[in-house]
Amino acid sequence: QVLLVESGGGSVQVGGSLRLTCVDSGISFPVYALGWFRQAPGKEREFVGAIRWSGGTTNYANSVKGRFTISADNAKKPNTMYLQMDRLRPEDTAVYYCNRGQDSSGTYYPGTLWGQGTQVTVGP
């Protein structure tokens, strides 16, 4: 059974930083990619960013570009992805989810497998 497990959430002050981790117990394939999404209370789940495993290409939502950085530890097994979040804002408060999907020409296509989520709260 393939599992995605997120960790690293917590409470932080405005302007602070957090690093989230996603561990994927499955195997990779040529267009394999992992993505981060988030869902705030009363809002739909939205794309944050993703990384293509082969080549390490990343892409981000405009709302986090320049503040968030996705990276992968290719030497580590199982596959591990990170989300470094800097200069956090109150509007970044949400449950953050990891997703296993595909990357095609720089566009991330989410799959059906999701992690359980990790809460990030940004306060004054």
Side-chain angles (χ1 to χ4, degrees):
Q1 182 182 4
V2 177
L3 291 176
L4 296 175
V5 180
E6 305 98 334
S7 62
S11 296
V12 64
Q13 291 184 327
V14 172
S17 298
L18 278 176
R19 189 175 84 153
L20 306 184
T21 301
C22 170
V23 177
D24 178 3
S25 66
I27 60 173
S28 57
F29 48 91
V31 293
Y32 167 74
L34 287 176
W36 286 102
F37 288 73
R38 66 186 182 186
Q39 188 167 19
K43 294 190 176 180
E44 292 189 357
R45 193 170 296 189
E46 65 174 2
F47 175 75
V48 173
I51 185 166
R52 180 181 175 126
W53 219 251
S54 174
T57 304
T58 55
N59 64 88
Y60 300 92
N62 287 334
S63 58
V64 306
K65 213 172 277 187
R67 300 187 299 122
F68 290 11
T69 304
I70 294 174
S71 61
D73 189 339
N74 291 312
K76 208 169 184 177
K77 294 298 177 189
N79 293 337
T80 302
M81 171 179 67
Y82 305 99
L83 177 64
Q84 177 66 41
M85 304 185 294
D86 298 318
R87 304 200 306 277
L88 282 161
R89 304 168 179 169
E91 54 263 39
D92 295 319
T93 295
V95 178
Y96 284 71
Y97 296 91
C98 180
N99 174 264
R100 180 180 169 88
Q102 300 184 26
D103 177 281
S104 178
S105 300
T107 298
Y108 182 76
Y109 294 91
T112 58
L113 184 64
W114 297 88
Q116 83 287 354
T118 185
Q119 176 71 46
V120 171
T121 302
V122 184

